[in-house]
């Protein structure tokens, strides 16, 4: 038996929140949800299912991130809910990750605001007091993988097209150090070294083997499995579980928190370069043409 | 080939030792043993087998911890012995961990003395210059698991009732950071995150799979296996092995050593709370009734 | 998607380079190679194969290390080459590790120069901007294992005599902390603890299992496998891969860089001891007699 070593206080810079979501009121799902973040609350069970709905691929735009941050804050402050199941409402994709359009043709202030929101969603998810279970029902590259990595448990639907990984190098860019820290904690240093350098996207069997996910199940069982996992985690007294979670994660979160502004400045000066802007424009043009 | 980087000096605060054990003299087993700590010395082999005997469940009372600390110090200072096999004399239980009675209805000075002894037994075992092999012949929750984790090698008897793990959260409390550090070193960050949050007690097959123990053997082979493992470890030149062990463990031990007093104060102020005292009293009452 | 956090600048103290290799010129293989370091360049593929040739066992003498350092510097500065396959030209042995003769009967200045070269080869290999694939075609103890551990990927020929590991304790010495750091990154803390204390040399199957190597292949397929692995790694954009590699390794390299001089002084004072010198002389005499 053993005891706690003092309550951890985590400072987190707030994100400026749009008025739209903040004034949303009412009961049940509508109290937490927004256009792009559906919430299915089960007050009796203490579980809220968040369904990401920013079609077609749940790109993490500034607006989408802001809605998600607000939703998480509301759930965190509502004692009714002790656990969140994070899943997608877009068929075949969990989330495609960051939205390149937020990084292209805008001004430095916008880039800074965007990057702060990206940091914020990671901190909110990684340090959540609630139990987070990812029900990964689609492909999960880059920022999509990152959101899954913040959860306490990851269930992946068994579909070879649902690959998961931090594939930044494939696009000629690199994952920030805090993506890396989160990955090293999850799959270890050597596997992270190889996965990050090669930008590996793991299909389900390999994702399970390397420890990127905890369980692979048939696609039609993903929600029931997530619920069953959740009930195991919710059987633990909240206070003890929360302090333990914080003890496990504090050092990793502090690594970003302590250099948050420098990390933003790095991003802004990198993304503002002419060469990077040109590359992004070319890439976005290609994406547009694909759709037509 | 490669060389050493300077002898490590580790400061360890001493524990006030009772007179009982300190005045014990004589040869052989009696020189090291006490009422609750049996010692079977094999001087020819350089191995001492310590059998924990604090019935019914080897709860780590202050007296028991003090006897164990004294025993370890004597063996550490006796050049005859190079290895310790740590096992239990109580059927079915390795050790139930900390003794709740030491944390209930006593004064702050007592709580501080107790917590210092808990820290001390961990430091003594974790930093021992001797080879430590745990022959885990019973259930090993919480503090019992911690003692096993300090050893250089863990052999577990193959009995589904002999579960091992840091199950603190199940009791509504949390493991101190140095329990966590020791566990992360042993099974990695992700497995430790899950095991600690859920308070998992692993049966033998799972304990082996996750790396909580190194080997699972039929119950009647546990001592012979421990002896065989020990002879492998004792084949290594002591000085090189000791310095290597210290190099692997120093940072983790220093993490506690550097904040030992603060860790004690945290424990005392936590355990002194009315709410905690009441919970412990209720829990102890239940335990008493179970016995009748 | 995610971005980089600023270019890493790594300071590395230079090694005084002999004139012999520095004045070597010409095209193709001869531009990079020396007596003991063969280079088979494939400019079209961007790959250079380095074959270690310091018979009989590729002991890492000061001269050999210096030639290897020069070779690596030249390749690093030649934009033609993006990847190195590191292998042995000596049958049955990848490298036996450090050369005891450099540590015996010489003066402190020599010991210091030698140790600086040992540090330098590790830093050069570990922080190389190129993709390094180890094609381990022979036994690989101690310093030989270390060189393999610096690579991005390790392929081991499937021959039970080709064991790999940091076996320093078997010789009564210990691996320096940076050998340990590199090993912990590769196989994790617990496996490194056991491997280093016991001086384990892993045969192929066990080496694969513990993560000491990434792949085991029949001996006649080792080079083709290394080439195939290399093409996978070279498919990644260099700049992104290099920055990611640096992000993964910087902290570990800095651990040595920040105390490089102290590490040299420790080595010199240790190796200069009469007792150590005598042991080394006895050991070297035995080795000589074996050969007759």
């Amino acid at each position: 038996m053993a005891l706690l070593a003092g309550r951890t206080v985590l400072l987190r810079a707030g994100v400026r929140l749009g008025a739209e979501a903040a004034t949303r009121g009412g009961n049940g799902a509508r109290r937490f949800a927004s256009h792009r973040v559906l919430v299915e609350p089960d007050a009796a069970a203490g579980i809220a299912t968040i369904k990401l709905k920013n079609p077609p691929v749940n790109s993490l735009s500034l607006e989408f991130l802001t809605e998600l941050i607000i939703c998480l804050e509301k759930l965190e402050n509502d004692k009714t809910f002790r656990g969140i199941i994070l899943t997608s409402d877009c068929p075949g994709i969990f989330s495609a990750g960051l939205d390149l359009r937020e990084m292209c043709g805008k001004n430095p202030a916008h880039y800074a605001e965007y990057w702060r929101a990206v940091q914020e969603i990671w901190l909110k998810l990684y340090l959540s007091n609630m139990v987070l279970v990812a029900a990964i029902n689609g492909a999960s590259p880059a920022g999509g993988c990152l959101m899954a990595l913040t959860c306490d448990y990851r269930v992946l639907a068994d579909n070879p097209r649902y690959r998961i990984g931090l594939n930044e190098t494939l696009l000629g860019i690199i994952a920030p150090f805090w993506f890396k820290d989160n990955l090293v904690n999850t799959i270890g240093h050597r596997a992270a070294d190889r996965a990050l350098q090669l930008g590996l996207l793991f299909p389900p069997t390999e994702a399970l083997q390397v420890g990127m996910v905890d369980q692979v199940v048939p696609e039609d069982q993903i929600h029931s499995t997530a619920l069953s996992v959740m009930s195991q985690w919710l059987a633990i007294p909240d206070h003890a579980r929360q302090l333990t979670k914080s003890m496990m994660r504090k050092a990793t979160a502090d690594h970003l928190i302590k250099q948050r502004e420098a990390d933003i400045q790095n991003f802004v000066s990198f993304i503002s370069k002419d060469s990077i802007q040109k590359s992004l424009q070319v890439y976005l043009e290609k994406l547009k043409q694909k759709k037509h």
Side-chain angles (χ1 to χ4, degrees), chain A residues 7-269:
Chain A
R7 181 74 195 245
T8 303
V9 178
L10 292 163
L11 297 171
R12 308 182 212 164
V15 157
R16 265 179 292 152
L17 304 175
E20 177 207 16
T23 57
R24 196 181 306 277
N27 291 317
R30 289 190 53 213
R31 211 163 17 118
F32 305 101
S34 62
H35 288 315
R36 301 173 188 81
V37 181
L38 309 182
V39 177
E40 292 179 358
D42 180 345
I47 303 170
T49 299
I50 293 181
K51 293 190 169 177
L52 306 175
K53 188 181 185 176
N54 191 27
V57 292
N58 281 332
S59 282
L60 301 172
S61 67
L62 180 56
E63 248 185 332
F64 185 38
L65 284 176
T66 305
E67 290 181 13
L68 190 51
I69 289 164
I70 292 169
C71 171
L72 289 169
E73 280 180 351
K74 286 184 185 171
L75 288 168
E76 200 84 42
N77 291 327
D78 188 320
K79 299 299 170 209
T80 315
F81 298 99
R82 301 167 58 219
I84 289 176
I85 294 175
L86 188 63
T87 194
S88 167
D89 194 63
C90 298
I93 188 105
F94 183 70
S95 163
L98 303 198
D99 190 336
L100 297 180
R101 289 164 299 185
E102 302 286 3
M103 310 177 187
C104 190
K106 304 283 200 308
N107 60 48
H110 181 85
Y111 300 146
E113 189 183 1
Y114 183 60
W115 199 246
R116 188 181 301 279
V118 175
Q119 295 174 332
E120 187 66 17
I121 194 69
W122 181 70
L123 290 169
K124 277 271 180 301
L125 289 168
Y126 194 65
L127 295 174
S128 172
N129 268 324
M130 288 180 282
V131 174
L132 263 64
V133 174
I136 311 168
N137 54 346
S140 194
C145 172
L146 181 74
M147 288 199 297
L149 288 175
T150 62
C151 293
D152 295 296
Y153 198 88
R154 282 162 287 287
V155 186
L156 176 58
D158 193 5
N159 183 324
R161 287 180 294 115
Y162 295 175
R163 296 189 302 161
I164 181 170
L166 296 175
N167 61 324
E168 279 78 359
T169 57
L170 294 184
L171 311 179
I173 53 176
I174 73 159
F177 70 86
W178 35 288
F179 283 46
K180 180 262 293 177
D181 291 344
N182 198 159
L183 184 66
V184 168
N185 284 353
T186 309
I187 65 174
H189 195 282
R190 167 56 188 157
D193 183 45
R194 183 166 165 265
L196 279 174
Q197 286 204 60
L198 293 176
L200 295 180
L201 288 168
F202 298 94
T205 307
E206 291 175 34
L208 184 64
Q209 200 168 15
V210 81
M212 189 73 92
V213 301
D214 299 296
Q215 207 172 337
V216 172
V217 299
E219 199 155 357
D220 60 354
Q221 293 170 26
I222 190 154
H223 194 64
S224 60
T225 305
L227 279 172
S228 152
V229 166
M230 182 62 84
S231 74
Q232 185 194 11
W233 285 72
L234 292 183
I236 310 300
D238 279 340
H239 191 65
R241 185 192 50 71
Q242 289 162 358
L243 287 166
T244 301
K245 181 173 179 176
S246 166
M247 175 173 69
M248 290 304 300
R249 300 189 169 198
K250 188 176 181 317
T252 302
D254 281 350
H255 196 192
L256 171 59
I257 291 168
K258 282 175 185 165
Q259 44 189 315
R260 193 166 177 177
E261 298 307 320
D263 185 55
I264 292 173
Q265 288 314 311
N266 276 331
F267 172 78
V268 173
S269 66

